[in-house]
Amino acid sequence: MKTLIITLFALLSLSCKANEIDKLKNISDVNTFLRKVVGKKWDGSFFDVKPDTTSKLFNVKFLKIDINDDGLTDLILNGADIVAVVDNGKGGYDFHLISQRGGMTFKKYVLAGTDTTKPAKIIVKTYYTHAQKDEPVIYDTLVVKFGAFVEYSRNIDHRKVRKLSFSTTACFGKCPVFDLHIESDGTAEYDAYNYNSETGRFTGKIDSIKLNQLFGLIEYLNLKSLNDNYKVLWTDDQTCMLTVRYNDGTVKTIQDYGGEGTFGLRQLYHLLFGLRKSQYWYATDN
């Protein structure tokens, strides 16, 4: 099952000849469709796992919904985890896994509802695979924005970012350790320490598409409404430290042990990690 989930998570922008989601009528159709786009690894056992049975939708195996409001029908899978199969409009599908990352999946999610008013949203509910009696049940309303599912926000923070700093610590393993500093115009410094594809100090200029995506997500997440500290339920993971300085002089710092603070923060970290390889970096002598 873990191999299947990892495979799904890795299959971003998987090509397929045409969108067949509209034709799906039952679970047999869905499994046939998924075997076509995922491959032989899909055996249908994903739907056999019993999630939290307190959700009114726990018996609903799949839903068809235009989740990103582009006029194309998408597929929500409700089984061992929640997976969205989104028609990318380019003859293929993108897969979004709504789950805690890695093997330490203490906290999982079950589909609790949908909201088709624009922007389309899904409501998910936490449940725990291990005895975590003291952990609260949390409902999150999610939308597809900035390349991932993030918490739906009605209060976008329009303050302009002056500088963003991001750093990671070591873990019990090969977690990339680096510092990244990005100015409002995209000028950036990158210090690569351990477990990156390079080591040393670098400078560069973040391209406008990535920069707008990054700062747009920060505005949408309304960082001032988030906690200053987050922590996962396990040990030996790395810490992500985010500091955002605004033009009005205010500063927001978030320390996130395990990098799982919120759906939106996970995507923000994903974008920041990706800059190490997606941008041109020039070694400096200092």
Side-chain angles (χ1 to χ4, degrees):
M1 179 60 68
K2 181 187 292 186
T3 301
L4 172 61
I5 297 300
I6 294 173
T7 301
L8 280 173
F9 192 56
L11 286 175
L12 300 176
S13 301
L14 181 68
S15 294
C16 185
K17 292 182 179 179
N19 181 2
E20 300 178 9
I21 292 175
D22 282 315
K23 304 175 185 177
L24 305 178
K25 296 180 179 180
N26 52 50
I27 197 67
S28 177
D29 291 344
V30 170
N31 278 323
T32 299
F33 166 73
L34 291 170
R35 278 192 292 271
K36 180 178 180 180
V37 298
V38 174
K40 294 181 180 180
K41 289 184 179 296
W42 186 269
D43 61 2
S45 62
F46 175 86
F47 293 117
D48 296 334
V49 178
K50 288 292 186 182
D52 177 12
T53 58
T54 64
S55 169
K56 64 180 181 181
L57 295 181
F58 87 95
N59 268 330
V60 175
K61 302 297 186 182
F62 70 96
L63 287 172
K64 295 189 289 184
I65 180 176
D66 180 8
I67 193 60
N68 57 352
D69 299 315
D70 64 353
L72 301 171
T73 303
D74 308 307
L75 185 65
I76 305 295
L77 310 177
N78 191 35
D81 289 288
I82 303 173
V83 176
V85 184
V86 179
D87 187 322
N88 63 24
K90 302 175 182 177
Y93 301 95
D94 296 334
F95 286 79
H96 298 271
L97 174 64
I98 301 173
S99 177
Q100 207 165 48
R101 67 171 175 80
M104 305 298 289
T105 52
F106 293 105
K107 182 169 68 175
K108 299 175 78 70
Y109 299 91
V110 64
L111 189 64
T114 61
D115 181 351
T116 56
T117 60
K118 293 190 177 184
K121 299 168 280 289
I122 64 171
I123 298 93
V124 300
K125 172 182 176 288
T126 58
Y127 72 99
Y128 296 87
T129 57
H130 293 66
Q132 301 290 334
K133 300 296 185 182
D134 297 330
E135 293 296 327
V137 173
I138 299 173
Y139 289 83
D140 282 308
T141 300
L142 307 179
V143 296
V144 176
K145 292 185 74 69
F146 306 100
F149 277 90
V150 302
E151 290 84 356
Y152 173 58
S153 175
R154 292 185 176 88
N155 300 304
I156 299 174
D157 184 0
H158 294 290
R159 291 178 300 164
K160 297 303 179 183
V161 175
R162 180 170 62 85
K163 184 176 182 179
L164 179 157
S165 297
F166 182 69
S167 62
T168 63
T169 67
C171 69
F172 187 68
K174 296 183 178 181
C175 297
V177 181
F178 64 96
D179 293 334
L180 188 61
H181 305 278
I182 305 173
E183 303 288 345
S184 60
D185 65 352
T187 302
E189 297 178 358
Y190 166 43
D191 295 325
Y193 302 115
N194 298 316
Y195 303 117
N196 300 282
S197 58
E198 62 285 298
T199 57
R201 176 166 291 183
F202 304 85
T203 60
K205 187 73 175 287
I206 309 301
D207 68 67
S208 60
I209 294 176
K210 292 292 185 182
L211 190 67
N212 290 336
Q213 186 180 35
L214 192 63
F215 287 171
L217 178 55
I218 288 174
E219 286 188 16
Y220 189 80
L221 295 182
N222 192 1
L223 295 185
K224 65 182 179 182
S225 68
L226 302 184
N227 296 338
D228 294 334
N229 292 279
Y230 293 94
K231 185 178 181 179
V232 294
L233 299 175
W234 56 83
T235 61
D236 299 322
D237 212 323
Q238 74 176 160
T239 296
C240 296
M241 179 72 76
L242 175 72
T243 300
V244 178
R245 302 179 186 277
Y246 296 92
N247 283 344
D248 63 4
T250 58
V251 179
K252 175 66 175 182
T253 297
I254 295 175
Q255 182 172 299
D256 193 342
Y257 176 70
E260 289 283 324
T262 69
F263 287 95
L265 285 174
R266 292 178 215 172
Q267 178 61 6
L268 183 60
Y269 304 152
H270 174 72
L271 295 177
L272 288 165
F273 269 79
L275 294 177
R276 295 171 303 142
K277 295 183 178 180
S278 68
Q279 304 300 295
Y280 291 103
W281 298 104
Y282 303 93
T284 67
D285 296 328
N286 297 326

